[in-house]
Amino acid sequence: MSAPAAPLLEIVDLVRHFPVRNAFGRRVGWLRAVDGVSLAVQPGETLGLVGESGCGKSTLGKTVMGIYTPTAGDIRFAGREIGWLAKRERRAVAKDLQYVYQDPGASLDPRWKVVHLLHEPLKIHTALSRAEREREVLAILAAVGLPDAHLDLYPHELSGGQQRRVGLARILTLRPRLVILDEPTSGLDVSVQASVLKLFRGLQEAFALTYVFISHDLSVVRAICARIAVMYLGKIVELGPTVAVFERPRHPYTHSLLAALPRIGGRRVTQEFALEGEPPNPRDVPSGCRFRTRCPHVQARCAVEEPLLRPLDGRTVACHFA
Ligand SMILES: Nc1ncnc2c1ncn2[C@@H]1O[C@H](COP(=O)(O)OP(=O)(O)O)[C@@H](O)[C@H]1O
Ligand SMILES: [Mg+2]
């Protein structure tokens, strides 16, 4: 039997809190955006990260990226702790991890032609000759599905979808190993979504990428992720193979999220699992199980004892009564 591959990314008990300040700038509390998350991502896989808006998905991604420093916990990349590196050491790994914002095209400098936009990161981060850079730029341009003629255009001369492709191409010139895609399909028509997902899959293969795919859209996650982690108020409540989690959700929160998905000729949303209201404020996380204030199955124990993730039915679940 071959040993399982070592994870490319491993997060252990990661915490990121933000100070809450009053009008005089004095800290009056903490907002627990990410509140103790552990997970591992295998090389070449796509791990989905789902949950309602505000549950901490982007904060988790940005803390892994080094955009935010962790409050506590460890981040290991290719076996090396990177969460606590000094700035200079951190810079050496920075290129291996890339973060794709919702609209990567929006960050393109409008004064630069595409050719300049794509050569620039290569000039800064590599020692390639001009001819080598030219070859690399053409290869990446083709990989994201843009014709060579687009090199001579300015961002405003491209469609929104083409701008996104240039944004992606810029990231790919750095030859990253891990790419965190944060809501990469939101705001796109369903038909465009499908072609963007196809592009992500193709690029993953061509560039040997590992993805963390953040989305609040469960149907998109289902289409591209083999495993998913469901987050609620800064914590993972269920994590496992997408098929198992979708077919038979075990955490009441996952159940509620899935019940809200529109189905074509499928099951009706039962009253029991309808999610009501907004999640509590992450400044004021409920005691015990943080989902208990919205849980249809809540019991006395849930207020006093925090459920830990435990293996169950081929995934891990944090619920006393799952
Ligand atoms: N830079 C920040 N400063 C203070 N609070 C923040 C900051 N970024 C995010 N938050 C808060 O952290 C929580 C999680 O936000 P976020 O990670 O953006 O959630 P998601 O991406 O799941 O929608 C929210 O309550 C949000 O208001
Ligand atoms: Mg977000």
Side-chain angles (χ1 to χ4, degrees), residues 173-194:
T173 57
L174 301 174
R175 297 282 172 167
R177 296 171 70 188
L178 179 78
V179 179
I180 300 178
L181 300 158
D182 195 348
E183 307 276 3
T185 59
S186 70
L188 297 176
D189 293 343
V190 175
S191 61
V192 182
Q193 262 182 23

Side-chain angles (χ1 to χ4, degrees), residues 18-19 31 33 51-60 68 182-183 214 281-282:
F18 293 110
L31 187 150
E52 286 163 292
S53 172
C55 72
K57 303 180 297 295
S58 296
T59 303
L60 179 62
Y68 298 141
D182 195 348
E183 307 276 3
I214 298 175
N281 192 316

Side-chain angles (χ1 to χ4, degrees), residues 84-99:
W84 302 95
L85 291 180
K87 267 219 170 85
R88 264 193 50 203
E89 289 180 286
R90 175 75 208 201
R91 218 169 292 145
V93 285
K95 140 182 152 7
D96 286 345
L97 290 88
Q98 292 294 323
Y99 193 88

Side-chain angles (χ1 to χ4, degrees), residues 28-49:
V28 292
W30 291 101
L31 187 150
R32 292 152 69 175
V34 173
D35 208 22
V37 167
S38 300
L39 55 82
V41 187
Q42 300 302 322
E45 87 162 326
T46 301
L47 176 75
L49 193 57

